[in-house]
Amino acid sequence: MQPVTRFAPSPTGRLHLGHAYSALLAHDFARARDGAFLLRIEDIDPGRARAEHVDAIFGDLIWLGLEWDGEVTYQSERLPLYADALERLRAAGLVYPCFCTRADIAASASAPHGPGGAVYPGTCRGLAGPDLSLPHAWRLDMAAALASVATPLAWIGNGVEVIAEPAAFGDVVLARKDAPASYHLAVTVDDAAQGVTDIVRGRDLFAATHVHRLLQALLGLPVPVYHHHALLTDAQGRRLAKRHGAPAIADLRTGGADPAELVASLRRGELPTGYSLGDA
Ligand code: GLU
Protein backbone atom coordinates (compact mmCIF):
# COMPACT_ATOMS: atom_id res chain seq x y z
CA MET A 1 0.00 0.00 0.00
CA GLN A 2 1.34 3.42 -0.90
CA PRO A 3 1.58 5.67 2.13
CA VAL A 4 -0.34 8.89 2.58
CA THR A 5 1.12 11.56 4.85
CA ARG A 6 -0.02 15.07 5.60
CA PHE A 7 1.14 18.41 6.89
CA ALA A 8 -1.64 19.93 8.97
CA PRO A 9 -0.74 23.43 10.14
CA SER A 10 -3.06 25.67 12.10
CA PRO A 11 -3.03 29.09 10.42
CA THR A 12 -2.62 31.00 13.67
CA GLY A 13 0.77 32.52 12.87
CA ARG A 14 3.64 32.36 10.43
CA LEU A 15 5.49 29.11 9.88
CA HIS A 16 8.96 28.84 11.42
CA LEU A 17 11.80 26.45 10.75
CA GLY A 18 10.26 23.80 13.02
CA HIS A 19 7.19 23.70 10.78
CA ALA A 20 9.39 23.50 7.70
CA TYR A 21 11.25 20.56 9.23
CA SER A 22 7.98 18.76 10.01
CA ALA A 23 6.55 19.40 6.55
CA LEU A 24 9.81 18.22 4.97
CA LEU A 25 9.82 14.95 6.91
CA ALA A 26 6.18 14.22 6.02
CA HIS A 27 6.82 15.15 2.39
CA ASP A 28 9.96 13.04 2.08
CA PHE A 29 8.38 10.06 3.84
CA ALA A 30 5.69 9.96 1.15
CA ARG A 31 7.96 10.79 -1.79
CA ALA A 32 10.51 8.10 -0.85
CA ARG A 33 7.73 5.50 -1.03
CA ASP A 34 5.86 6.77 -4.04
CA GLY A 35 3.07 7.89 -1.73
CA ALA A 36 0.98 11.03 -1.42
CA PHE A 37 1.65 14.12 0.69
CA LEU A 38 -1.47 16.09 1.63
CA LEU A 39 -1.91 19.60 2.95
CA ARG A 40 -4.69 20.22 5.43
CA ILE A 41 -5.35 23.63 6.94
CA GLU A 42 -6.60 23.22 10.50
CA ASP A 43 -8.62 26.42 10.66
CA ILE A 44 -11.46 25.65 13.05
CA ASP A 45 -10.34 27.98 15.83
CA PRO A 46 -12.44 31.05 15.04
CA GLY A 47 -10.50 33.28 17.41
CA ARG A 48 -7.05 32.49 16.04
CA ALA A 49 -7.17 31.22 12.44
CA ARG A 50 -6.47 33.93 9.83
CA ALA A 51 -6.75 33.85 6.03
CA GLU A 52 -3.50 35.81 5.65
CA HIS A 53 -1.63 33.02 7.43
CA VAL A 54 -3.15 30.44 5.06
CA ASP A 55 -1.75 32.31 2.06
CA ALA A 56 1.60 32.61 3.80
CA ILE A 57 1.68 28.82 4.40
CA PHE A 58 1.21 28.17 0.68
CA GLY A 59 3.93 30.68 -0.14
CA ASP A 60 6.37 29.17 2.35
CA LEU A 61 5.83 25.58 1.19
CA ILE A 62 6.19 26.57 -2.45
CA TRP A 63 9.36 28.53 -1.65
CA LEU A 64 10.74 25.44 0.13
CA GLY A 65 9.86 23.30 -2.90
CA LEU A 66 7.50 21.06 -0.94
CA GLU A 67 4.66 20.29 -3.31
CA TRP A 68 1.54 18.70 -1.96
CA ASP A 69 -0.81 16.36 -3.80
CA GLY A 70 -4.42 17.11 -4.65
CA GLU A 71 -6.59 19.88 -3.33
CA VAL A 72 -5.80 21.58 -0.06
CA THR A 73 -8.42 20.64 2.54
CA TYR A 74 -9.77 23.11 5.08
CA GLN A 75 -11.21 21.89 8.34
CA SER A 76 -13.61 24.84 8.33
CA GLU A 77 -15.27 23.23 5.27
CA ARG A 78 -15.61 19.82 6.90
CA LEU A 79 -17.71 20.68 9.94
CA PRO A 80 -20.56 18.27 9.03
CA LEU A 81 -18.11 15.35 9.25
CA TYR A 82 -17.14 16.28 12.79
CA ALA A 83 -20.81 16.86 13.71
CA ASP A 84 -21.64 13.34 12.47
CA ALA A 85 -18.85 11.82 14.54
CA LEU A 86 -19.99 13.75 17.61
CA GLU A 87 -23.57 12.65 17.02
CA ARG A 88 -22.50 9.01 16.91
CA LEU A 89 -20.74 9.42 20.25
CA ARG A 90 -23.75 11.26 21.64
CA ALA A 91 -26.12 8.50 20.51
CA ALA A 92 -23.84 5.98 22.25
CA GLY A 93 -24.06 8.02 25.48
CA LEU A 94 -20.34 8.75 25.50
CA VAL A 95 -20.40 12.56 25.50
CA TYR A 96 -22.16 15.13 27.64
CA PRO A 97 -22.77 18.88 27.40
CA CYS A 98 -20.60 21.05 29.61
CA PHE A 99 -21.56 24.58 30.59
CA CYS A 100 -18.49 25.39 32.67
CA THR A 101 -16.32 28.39 31.92
CA ARG A 102 -12.53 28.23 32.09
CA ALA A 103 -12.77 30.18 35.33
CA ASP A 104 -15.19 27.59 36.81
CA ILE A 105 -12.71 24.84 36.02
CA ALA A 106 -9.69 26.74 37.31
CA ALA A 107 -11.57 27.52 40.53
CA SER A 108 -12.29 23.86 41.15
CA ALA A 109 -9.99 22.99 44.03
CA SER A 110 -9.78 19.40 42.90
CA ALA A 111 -8.72 20.06 39.30
CA PRO A 112 -5.62 17.89 38.89
CA HIS A 113 -3.29 18.21 35.94
CA GLY A 114 -3.00 15.64 33.18
CA PRO A 115 -0.86 15.46 30.04
CA GLY A 116 -3.25 17.84 28.27
CA GLY A 117 -3.50 20.44 31.07
CA ALA A 118 -6.11 20.71 33.81
CA VAL A 119 -8.25 17.60 34.07
CA TYR A 120 -11.94 18.46 34.06
CA PRO A 121 -13.44 17.73 37.48
CA GLY A 122 -16.63 16.31 35.96
CA THR A 123 -18.99 19.04 37.22
CA CYS A 124 -21.46 18.69 34.31
CA ARG A 125 -21.28 14.91 33.97
CA GLY A 126 -24.71 13.44 34.70
CA LEU A 127 -26.56 16.79 34.76
CA ALA A 128 -30.27 16.09 34.67
CA GLY A 129 -32.15 17.96 31.90
CA PRO A 130 -29.32 20.17 30.61
CA ASP A 131 -30.56 23.31 28.80
CA LEU A 132 -28.94 23.00 25.38
CA SER A 133 -30.07 26.49 24.42
CA LEU A 134 -27.26 27.80 26.64
CA PRO A 135 -23.68 27.91 25.30
CA HIS A 136 -22.04 24.56 25.90
CA ALA A 137 -19.14 22.36 24.94
CA TRP A 138 -19.32 18.58 24.52
CA ARG A 139 -17.00 16.43 26.58
CA LEU A 140 -16.09 12.79 26.25
CA ASP A 141 -17.14 10.72 29.25
CA MET A 142 -13.73 9.11 29.54
CA ALA A 143 -14.72 6.34 31.96
CA ALA A 144 -17.75 5.35 29.87
CA ALA A 145 -15.70 5.54 26.67
CA LEU A 146 -12.97 3.29 28.06
CA ALA A 147 -15.56 0.83 29.34
CA SER A 148 -17.10 0.61 25.85
CA VAL A 149 -13.97 -0.52 23.97
CA ALA A 150 -11.76 -3.57 24.22
CA THR A 151 -8.53 -2.54 25.93
CA PRO A 152 -5.61 -2.37 25.75
CA LEU A 153 -5.57 -0.14 22.69
CA ALA A 154 -2.23 0.14 20.98
CA TRP A 155 -0.54 1.92 18.12
CA ILE A 156 2.82 1.69 16.41
CA GLY A 157 4.87 4.77 17.19
CA ASN A 158 8.42 5.21 15.92
CA GLY A 159 8.55 1.48 15.26
CA VAL A 160 7.43 0.22 18.65
CA GLU A 161 4.07 -0.70 20.10
CA VAL A 162 2.66 1.95 22.42
CA ILE A 163 -0.27 1.19 24.72
CA ALA A 164 -2.83 3.99 24.77
CA GLU A 165 -3.48 5.43 28.21
CA PRO A 166 -6.01 8.18 27.65
CA ALA A 167 -7.57 8.07 31.15
CA ALA A 168 -5.15 10.68 32.50
CA PHE A 169 -6.61 13.27 30.10
CA GLY A 170 -10.01 13.05 31.80
CA ASP A 171 -13.17 14.17 30.03
CA VAL A 172 -11.60 15.96 27.05
CA VAL A 173 -13.53 18.51 25.02
CA LEU A 174 -14.67 17.21 21.62
CA ALA A 175 -16.68 20.27 20.58
CA ARG A 176 -16.06 23.71 22.00
CA LYS A 177 -18.54 26.42 22.87
CA ASP A 178 -17.06 28.56 20.11
CA ALA A 179 -15.92 25.86 17.67
CA PRO A 180 -17.90 22.85 16.48
CA ALA A 181 -15.02 20.42 16.92
CA SER A 182 -11.91 20.24 19.03
CA TYR A 183 -8.47 19.47 17.65
CA HIS A 184 -8.71 15.87 18.93
CA LEU A 185 -11.97 15.10 17.14
CA ALA A 186 -11.23 16.93 13.89
CA VAL A 187 -7.74 15.52 13.44
CA THR A 188 -8.86 11.95 14.12
CA VAL A 189 -11.84 12.15 11.77
CA ASP A 190 -9.82 13.83 9.01
CA ASP A 191 -6.84 11.51 9.11
CA ALA A 192 -9.21 8.57 8.65
CA ALA A 193 -11.39 10.27 6.02
CA GLN A 194 -8.35 11.27 3.99
CA GLY A 195 -6.78 7.82 4.17
CA VAL A 196 -3.67 9.03 5.99
CA THR A 197 -1.58 5.94 6.67
CA ASP A 198 1.45 7.53 8.31
CA ILE A 199 1.31 10.51 10.63
CA VAL A 200 4.60 12.35 10.67
CA ARG A 201 4.45 15.16 13.23
CA GLY A 202 6.31 16.70 16.14
CA ARG A 203 7.02 15.03 19.46
CA ASP A 204 4.83 17.66 21.12
CA LEU A 205 1.77 15.84 19.76
CA PHE A 206 2.80 12.41 21.00
CA ALA A 207 0.69 12.62 24.18
CA ALA A 208 -2.44 13.61 22.26
CA THR A 209 -2.16 10.31 20.37
CA HIS A 210 -3.50 8.53 23.47
CA VAL A 211 -6.79 10.38 22.98
CA HIS A 212 -6.74 9.97 19.19
CA ARG A 213 -6.30 6.22 19.54
CA LEU A 214 -9.34 6.01 21.82
CA LEU A 215 -11.44 8.07 19.39
CA GLN A 216 -10.39 5.75 16.56
CA ALA A 217 -11.64 2.79 18.59
CA LEU A 218 -14.93 4.53 19.48
CA LEU A 219 -15.61 5.59 15.90
CA GLY A 220 -14.37 2.39 14.23
CA LEU A 221 -11.60 4.17 12.31
CA PRO A 222 -8.36 2.69 11.00
CA VAL A 223 -5.22 3.26 13.05
CA PRO A 224 -2.40 4.97 11.18
CA VAL A 225 1.26 4.43 11.97
CA TYR A 226 2.79 7.31 13.93
CA HIS A 227 6.22 8.87 13.48
CA HIS A 228 6.83 11.59 16.06
CA HIS A 229 9.97 13.54 15.28
CA ALA A 230 12.26 15.53 17.54
CA LEU A 231 11.51 19.24 17.83
CA LEU A 232 13.85 22.00 16.79
CA THR A 233 15.11 24.12 19.64
CA ASP A 234 16.77 27.51 19.72
CA ALA A 235 20.14 28.50 21.19
CA GLN A 236 18.56 28.53 24.68
CA GLY A 237 17.27 24.99 24.19
CA ARG A 238 13.67 26.21 23.93
CA ARG A 239 11.20 24.77 21.46
CA LEU A 240 10.82 27.14 18.54
CA ALA A 241 7.89 29.45 19.05
CA LYS A 242 6.87 32.82 17.80
CA ARG A 243 6.72 34.12 21.36
CA HIS A 244 10.41 33.26 21.78
CA GLY A 245 11.25 35.19 18.65
CA ALA A 246 11.78 32.20 16.32
CA PRO A 247 12.34 33.65 12.87
CA ALA A 248 9.58 32.93 10.39
CA ILE A 249 10.30 31.16 7.11
CA ALA A 250 9.30 34.47 5.51
CA ASP A 251 12.14 36.19 7.41
CA LEU A 252 14.64 33.63 6.12
CA ARG A 253 13.32 34.23 2.63
CA THR A 254 13.60 38.01 2.83
CA GLY A 255 17.00 37.58 4.49
CA GLY A 256 18.22 36.00 1.25
CA ALA A 257 18.34 32.33 2.33
CA ASP A 258 18.59 29.83 -0.51
CA PRO A 259 15.65 27.43 -0.07
CA ALA A 260 17.33 24.54 -1.93
CA GLU A 261 20.37 24.80 0.34
CA LEU A 262 18.22 25.13 3.43
CA VAL A 263 16.17 22.05 2.55
CA ALA A 264 19.26 20.06 1.56
CA SER A 265 20.94 20.83 4.88
CA LEU A 266 17.78 19.96 6.84
CA ARG A 267 17.71 16.64 4.97
CA ARG A 268 21.28 15.98 6.11
CA GLY A 269 20.19 16.80 9.65
CA GLU A 270 22.25 20.00 9.65
CA LEU A 271 20.51 22.97 11.15
CA PRO A 272 21.30 26.65 10.72
CA THR A 273 23.50 28.14 13.45
CA GLY A 274 21.65 28.54 16.73
CA TYR A 275 19.24 25.67 16.13
CA SER A 276 19.41 22.12 17.39
CA LEU A 277 17.19 19.07 17.60
CA GLY A 278 15.67 18.08 20.93
CA ASP A 279 15.01 14.53 22.09
CA ALA A 280 12.94 12.29 19.88
N1 GLU B 1 -2.69 21.52 13.55
C1 GLU B 1 -1.76 21.01 14.49
C2 GLU B 1 -0.69 22.04 14.79
O1 GLU B 1 -0.48 22.92 13.98
C3 GLU B 1 -1.05 19.76 14.03
C4 GLU B 1 -1.95 18.61 13.93
C5 GLU B 1 -1.27 17.26 13.79
O2 GLU B 1 -0.24 17.17 13.11
O3 GLU B 1 -1.83 16.31 14.30
O4 GLU B 1 -0.07 21.96 15.82
Side-chain angles (χ1 to χ4, degrees):
M1 188 175 60
Q2 284 163 339
V4 178
T5 64
R6 51 44 167 202
F7 178 51
S10 305
T12 55
R14 296 183 304 168
L15 299 188
H16 53 57
L17 201 61
H19 296 112
Y21 183 67
S22 200
L24 176 66
L25 292 184
H27 168 275
D28 286 4
F29 187 98
R31 293 286 173 261
R33 294 163 181 80
D34 207 13
F37 169 63
L38 309 181
L39 176 59
R40 183 171 73 228
I41 303 294
E42 303 212 323
D43 57 348
I44 44 172
D45 187 334
R48 298 174 63 220
R50 302 242 188 294
E52 80 223 46
H53 295 316
V54 176
D55 289 339
I57 289 168
F58 299 155
D60 289 343
L61 291 177
I62 291 166
W63 182 72
L64 290 163
L66 302 179
E67 277 178 38
W68 57 90
D69 295 305
E71 299 278 313
V72 177
T73 47
Y74 294 85
Q75 287 193 325
S76 57
E77 293 174 358
R78 300 165 66 80
L79 303 183
L81 277 179
Y82 316 138
D84 282 355
L86 187 71
E87 178 51 28
R88 286 176 54 202
L89 298 173
R90 204 191 57 74
L94 299 178
V95 291
Y96 61 86
C98 171
F99 302 87
C100 293
T101 61
R102 276 175 204 274
D104 292 335
I105 298 168
S108 157
S110 62
H113 268 258
V119 171
Y120 182 62
T123 321
C124 292
R125 194 189 311 125
L127 275 187
D131 180 356
L132 295 180
S133 68
L134 298 175
H136 59 280
W138 287 92
R139 289 183 178 274
L140 184 68
D141 183 333
M142 182 59 77
L146 280 169
S148 75
V149 294
T151 52
L153 298 171
W155 77 83
I156 301 296
N158 295 7
V160 297
E161 189 180 64
V162 184
I163 301 296
E165 288 171 354
F169 286 79
D171 293 353
V172 289
V173 170
L174 296 187
R176 293 171 21 174
K177 278 181 190 164
D178 62 342
S182 71
Y183 160 65
H184 293 311
L185 183 64
V187 84
T188 305
V189 166
D190 279 342
D191 284 331
Q194 295 189 276
V196 175
T197 61
D198 290 86
I199 296 188
V200 180
R201 64 182 176 191
R203 183 77 183 77
D204 53 326
L205 293 169
F206 172 82
T209 314
H210 291 282
V211 176
H212 303 171
R213 181 65 190 89
L214 174 60
L215 291 175
Q216 286 154 5
L218 296 173
L219 295 167
L221 304 176
V223 184
V225 174
Y226 289 86
H227 312 266
H228 286 106
H229 61 78
L231 299 178
L232 262 62
T233 55
D234 64 14
Q236 282 75 44
R238 293 175 308 200
R239 217 181 109 184
L240 296 193
K242 213 169 108 194
R243 66 181 181 284
H244 297 148
I249 305 290
D251 298 333
L252 302 175
R253 180 175 3 170
T254 48
D258 176 337
E261 254 174 46
L262 177 67
V263 164
S265 56
L266 287 177
R267 282 197 174 111
R268 291 193 300 268
E270 290 163 18
L271 301 172
T273 315
Y275 293 100
S276 36
L277 267 179
D279 296 331

mmCIF file of all heavy atoms in Angstrom, residues 170-199:
data_model
loop_
_atom_site.group_PDB
_atom_site.id
_atom_site.type_symbol
_atom_site.label_atom_id
_atom_site.label_comp_id
_atom_site.label_asym_id
_atom_site.label_seq_id
_atom_site.Cartn_x
_atom_site.Cartn_y
_atom_site.Cartn_z
ATOM 1 N N GLY A 170 -8.689 12.738 31.276
ATOM 2 C CA GLY A 170 -10.012 13.054 31.796
ATOM 3 C C GLY A 170 -11.014 13.262 30.664
ATOM 4 O O GLY A 170 -10.811 12.801 29.536
ATOM 5 N N ASP A 171 -12.067 13.982 30.981
ATOM 6 C CA ASP A 171 -13.171 14.173 30.027
ATOM 7 C C ASP A 171 -12.807 15.295 29.041
ATOM 8 O O ASP A 171 -13.187 16.453 29.221
ATOM 9 C CB ASP A 171 -14.459 14.513 30.784
ATOM 10 C CG ASP A 171 -14.945 13.335 31.634
ATOM 11 O OD1 ASP A 171 -14.355 12.235 31.523
ATOM 12 O OD2 ASP A 171 -15.907 13.523 32.397
ATOM 13 N N VAL A 172 -12.091 14.947 28.007
ATOM 14 C CA VAL A 172 -11.602 15.962 27.052
ATOM 15 C C VAL A 172 -12.760 16.580 26.276
ATOM 16 O O VAL A 172 -13.812 15.958 26.074
ATOM 17 C CB VAL A 172 -10.570 15.379 26.051
ATOM 18 C CG1 VAL A 172 -9.248 15.060 26.732
ATOM 19 C CG2 VAL A 172 -11.129 14.148 25.354
ATOM 20 N N VAL A 173 -12.537 17.800 25.823
ATOM 21 C CA VAL A 173 -13.535 18.506 25.017
ATOM 22 C C VAL A 173 -13.470 17.992 23.579
ATOM 23 O O VAL A 173 -12.400 17.922 22.985
ATOM 24 C CB VAL A 173 -13.259 20.033 25.042
ATOM 25 C CG1 VAL A 173 -14.124 20.765 24.020
ATOM 26 C CG2 VAL A 173 -13.513 20.589 26.434
ATOM 27 N N LEU A 174 -14.622 17.639 23.030
ATOM 28 C CA LEU A 174 -14.672 17.213 21.622
ATOM 29 C C LEU A 174 -15.318 18.263 20.733
ATOM 30 O O LEU A 174 -15.111 18.275 19.521
ATOM 31 C CB LEU A 174 -15.410 15.883 21.486
ATOM 32 C CG LEU A 174 -14.745 14.689 22.181
ATOM 33 C CD1 LEU A 174 -15.477 13.401 21.832
ATOM 34 C CD2 LEU A 174 -13.270 14.565 21.814
ATOM 35 N N ALA A 175 -16.143 19.130 21.326
ATOM 36 C CA ALA A 175 -16.681 20.268 20.576
ATOM 37 C C ALA A 175 -16.696 21.429 21.554
ATOM 38 O O ALA A 175 -17.114 21.266 22.702
ATOM 39 C CB ALA A 175 -18.081 19.975 20.066
ATOM 40 N N ARG A 176 -16.189 22.561 21.090
ATOM 41 C CA ARG A 176 -16.063 23.705 22.002
ATOM 42 C C ARG A 176 -17.291 24.584 21.925
ATOM 43 O O ARG A 176 -18.059 24.516 20.975
ATOM 44 C CB ARG A 176 -14.817 24.511 21.608
ATOM 45 C CG ARG A 176 -13.557 23.741 21.853
ATOM 46 C CD ARG A 176 -12.326 24.403 21.288
ATOM 47 N NE ARG A 176 -12.438 25.835 21.029
ATOM 48 C CZ ARG A 176 -11.420 26.582 20.635
ATOM 49 N NH1 ARG A 176 -10.227 26.025 20.476
ATOM 50 N NH2 ARG A 176 -11.576 27.857 20.406
ATOM 51 N N LYS A 177 -17.417 25.469 22.914
ATOM 52 C CA LYS A 177 -18.535 26.420 22.867
ATOM 53 C C LYS A 177 -18.449 27.259 21.597
ATOM 54 O O LYS A 177 -19.446 27.583 20.982
ATOM 55 C CB LYS A 177 -18.454 27.367 24.070
ATOM 56 C CG LYS A 177 -19.027 26.790 25.336
ATOM 57 C CD LYS A 177 -18.937 27.786 26.476
ATOM 58 C CE LYS A 177 -19.293 27.089 27.767
ATOM 59 N NZ LYS A 177 -18.897 27.821 28.954
ATOM 60 N N ASP A 178 -17.234 27.629 21.226
ATOM 61 C CA ASP A 178 -17.055 28.558 20.106
ATOM 62 C C ASP A 178 -16.561 27.866 18.836
ATOM 63 O O ASP A 178 -16.286 28.529 17.848
ATOM 64 C CB ASP A 178 -16.053 29.658 20.503
ATOM 65 C CG ASP A 178 -14.676 29.079 20.815
ATOM 66 O OD1 ASP A 178 -14.585 27.862 21.053
ATOM 67 O OD2 ASP A 178 -13.701 29.841 20.803
ATOM 68 N N ALA A 179 -16.396 26.563 18.874
ATOM 69 C CA ALA A 179 -15.924 25.865 17.666
ATOM 70 C C ALA A 179 -16.568 24.483 17.657
ATOM 71 O O ALA A 179 -16.614 23.819 18.691
ATOM 72 C CB ALA A 179 -14.399 25.741 17.674
ATOM 73 N N PRO A 180 -17.092 24.070 16.509
ATOM 74 C CA PRO A 180 -17.900 22.848 16.484
ATOM 75 C C PRO A 180 -17.114 21.553 16.649
ATOM 76 O O PRO A 180 -17.705 20.479 16.766
ATOM 77 C CB PRO A 180 -18.564 22.901 15.111
ATOM 78 C CG PRO A 180 -17.722 23.828 14.306
ATOM 79 C CD PRO A 180 -17.043 24.765 15.243
ATOM 80 N N ALA A 181 -15.807 21.627 16.655
ATOM 81 C CA ALA A 181 -15.020 20.418 16.916
ATOM 82 C C ALA A 181 -13.732 20.836 17.588
ATOM 83 O O ALA A 181 -13.224 21.927 17.356
ATOM 84 C CB ALA A 181 -14.706 19.686 15.613
ATOM 85 N N SER A 182 -13.212 19.951 18.432
ATOM 86 C CA SER A 182 -11.910 20.236 19.028
ATOM 87 C C SER A 182 -10.838 19.663 18.119
ATOM 88 O O SER A 182 -11.118 18.868 17.209
ATOM 89 C CB SER A 182 -11.808 19.590 20.407
ATOM 90 O OG SER A 182 -11.701 18.184 20.262
ATOM 91 N N TYR A 183 -9.597 20.026 18.388
ATOM 92 C CA TYR A 183 -8.467 19.468 17.654
ATOM 93 C C TYR A 183 -8.522 17.943 17.651
ATOM 94 O O TYR A 183 -8.385 17.295 16.599
ATOM 95 C CB TYR A 183 -7.150 19.962 18.284
ATOM 96 C CG TYR A 183 -5.960 19.098 17.931
ATOM 97 C CD1 TYR A 183 -5.508 19.001 16.622
ATOM 98 C CD2 TYR A 183 -5.308 18.349 18.915
ATOM 99 C CE1 TYR A 183 -4.436 18.184 16.294
ATOM 100 C CE2 TYR A 183 -4.235 17.536 18.593
ATOM 101 C CZ TYR A 183 -3.804 17.459 17.285
ATOM 102 O OH TYR A 183 -2.756 16.642 16.966
ATOM 103 N N HIS A 184 -8.744 17.335 18.833
ATOM 104 C CA HIS A 184 -8.710 15.870 18.932
ATOM 105 C C HIS A 184 -9.713 15.212 17.974
ATOM 106 O O HIS A 184 -9.383 14.253 17.276
ATOM 107 C CB HIS A 184 -9.069 15.413 20.355
ATOM 108 C CG HIS A 184 -8.056 15.783 21.393
ATOM 109 N ND1 HIS A 184 -6.710 15.546 21.247
ATOM 110 C CD2 HIS A 184 -8.208 16.352 22.621
ATOM 111 C CE1 HIS A 184 -6.075 15.957 22.331
ATOM 112 N NE2 HIS A 184 -6.955 16.454 23.171
ATOM 113 N N LEU A 185 -10.938 15.735 17.969
ATOM 114 C CA LEU A 185 -11.970 15.102 17.145
ATOM 115 C C LEU A 185 -11.689 15.348 15.660
ATOM 116 O O LEU A 185 -11.721 14.417 14.851
ATOM 117 C CB LEU A 185 -13.361 15.654 17.522
ATOM 118 C CG LEU A 185 -14.516 15.004 16.780
ATOM 119 C CD1 LEU A 185 -14.633 13.525 17.127
ATOM 120 C CD2 LEU A 185 -15.849 15.706 17.107
ATOM 121 N N ALA A 186 -11.401 16.597 15.308
ATOM 122 C CA ALA A 186 -11.235 16.934 13.892
ATOM 123 C C ALA A 186 -10.049 16.189 13.277
ATOM 124 O O ALA A 186 -10.128 15.645 12.174
ATOM 125 C CB ALA A 186 -11.057 18.447 13.743
ATOM 126 N N VAL A 187 -8.943 16.140 14.006
ATOM 127 C CA VAL A 187 -7.738 15.523 13.443
ATOM 128 C C VAL A 187 -7.949 14.014 13.265
ATOM 129 O O VAL A 187 -7.518 13.428 12.259
ATOM 130 C CB VAL A 187 -6.517 15.857 14.333
ATOM 131 C CG1 VAL A 187 -6.375 14.909 15.505
ATOM 132 C CG2 VAL A 187 -5.238 15.884 13.554
ATOM 133 N N THR A 188 -8.649 13.401 14.201
ATOM 134 C CA THR A 188 -8.863 11.952 14.117
ATOM 135 C C THR A 188 -9.803 11.618 12.957
ATOM 136 O O THR A 188 -9.551 10.692 12.179
ATOM 137 C CB THR A 188 -9.453 11.433 15.448
ATOM 138 O OG1 THR A 188 -8.593 11.833 16.513
ATOM 139 C CG2 THR A 188 -9.569 9.935 15.457
ATOM 140 N N VAL A 189 -10.877 12.386 12.856
ATOM 141 C CA VAL A 189 -11.845 12.153 11.772
ATOM 142 C C VAL A 189 -11.175 12.393 10.418
ATOM 143 O O VAL A 189 -11.307 11.596 9.482
ATOM 144 C CB VAL A 189 -13.077 13.071 11.965
ATOM 145 C CG1 VAL A 189 -13.939 13.112 10.712
ATOM 146 C CG2 VAL A 189 -13.889 12.610 13.171
ATOM 147 N N ASP A 190 -10.431 13.488 10.308
ATOM 148 C CA ASP A 190 -9.825 13.831 9.014
ATOM 149 C C ASP A 190 -8.755 12.835 8.589
ATOM 150 O O ASP A 190 -8.683 12.474 7.415
ATOM 151 C CB ASP A 190 -9.197 15.222 9.073
ATOM 152 C CG ASP A 190 -10.239 16.303 8.887
ATOM 153 O OD1 ASP A 190 -11.331 15.990 8.382
ATOM 154 O OD2 ASP A 190 -9.955 17.452 9.248
ATOM 155 N N ASP A 191 -7.907 12.442 9.504
ATOM 156 C CA ASP A 191 -6.842 11.512 9.106
ATOM 157 C C ASP A 191 -7.451 10.222 8.550
ATOM 158 O O ASP A 191 -6.967 9.667 7.565
ATOM 159 C CB ASP A 191 -5.895 11.232 10.282
ATOM 160 C CG ASP A 191 -4.944 12.408 10.534
ATOM 161 O OD1 ASP A 191 -4.618 13.121 9.571
ATOM 162 O OD2 ASP A 191 -4.543 12.607 11.689
ATOM 163 N N ALA A 192 -8.547 9.778 9.150
ATOM 164 C CA ALA A 192 -9.207 8.567 8.652
ATOM 165 C C ALA A 192 -9.892 8.853 7.310
ATOM 166 O O ALA A 192 -9.724 8.116 6.340
ATOM 167 C CB ALA A 192 -10.217 8.067 9.680
ATOM 168 N N ALA A 193 -10.635 9.956 7.249
ATOM 169 C CA ALA A 193 -11.395 10.268 6.022
ATOM 170 C C ALA A 193 -10.464 10.484 4.839
ATOM 171 O O ALA A 193 -10.825 10.192 3.697
ATOM 172 C CB ALA A 193 -12.266 11.503 6.251
ATOM 173 N N GLN A 194 -9.273 10.995 5.084
ATOM 174 C CA GLN A 194 -8.346 11.273 3.991
ATOM 175 C C GLN A 194 -7.396 10.109 3.724
ATOM 176 O O GLN A 194 -6.509 10.231 2.897
ATOM 177 C CB GLN A 194 -7.545 12.535 4.308
ATOM 178 C CG GLN A 194 -8.422 13.780 4.382
ATOM 179 C CD GLN A 194 -7.567 15.036 4.489
ATOM 180 O OE1 GLN A 194 -7.137 15.429 5.564
ATOM 181 N NE2 GLN A 194 -7.311 15.646 3.354
ATOM 182 N N GLY A 195 -7.604 9.004 4.427
ATOM 183 C CA GLY A 195 -6.783 7.817 4.172
ATOM 184 C C GLY A 195 -5.321 8.002 4.540
ATOM 185 O O GLY A 195 -4.434 7.397 3.927
ATOM 186 N N VAL A 196 -5.064 8.824 5.566
ATOM 187 C CA VAL A 196 -3.672 9.035 5.993
ATOM 188 C C VAL A 196 -3.184 7.747 6.660
ATOM 189 O O VAL A 196 -3.801 7.260 7.609
ATOM 190 C CB VAL A 196 -3.573 10.248 6.951
ATOM 191 C CG1 VAL A 196 -2.154 10.390 7.481
ATOM 192 C CG2 VAL A 196 -4.013 11.521 6.228
ATOM 193 N N THR A 197 -2.107 7.201 6.137
ATOM 194 C CA THR A 197 -1.584 5.938 6.674
ATOM 195 C C THR A 197 -0.466 6.165 7.681
ATOM 196 O O THR A 197 -0.238 5.345 8.557
ATOM 197 C CB THR A 197 -0.993 5.061 5.546
ATOM 198 O OG1 THR A 197 0.097 5.782 4.944
ATOM 199 C CG2 THR A 197 -2.037 4.715 4.495
ATOM 200 N N ASP A 198 0.264 7.274 7.492
ATOM 201 C CA ASP A 198 1.453 7.528 8.311
ATOM 202 C C ASP A 198 1.425 8.978 8.783
ATOM 203 O O ASP A 198 1.447 9.893 7.962
ATOM 204 C CB ASP A 198 2.733 7.272 7.510
ATOM 205 C CG ASP A 198 2.909 5.785 7.237
ATOM 206 O OD1 ASP A 198 2.338 5.295 6.228
ATOM 207 O OD2 ASP A 198 3.589 5.112 8.046
ATOM 208 N N ILE A 199 1.369 9.156 10.090
ATOM 209 C CA ILE A 199 1.314 10.508 10.634
ATOM 210 C C ILE A 199 2.712 10.901 11.080
ATOM 211 O O ILE A 199 3.264 10.308 12.002
ATOM 212 C CB ILE A 199 0.300 10.580 11.773
ATOM 213 C CG1 ILE A 199 -1.076 10.289 11.171
ATOM 214 C CG2 ILE A 199 0.360 11.937 12.470
ATOM 215 C CD1 ILE A 199 -2.238 10.488 12.035
#
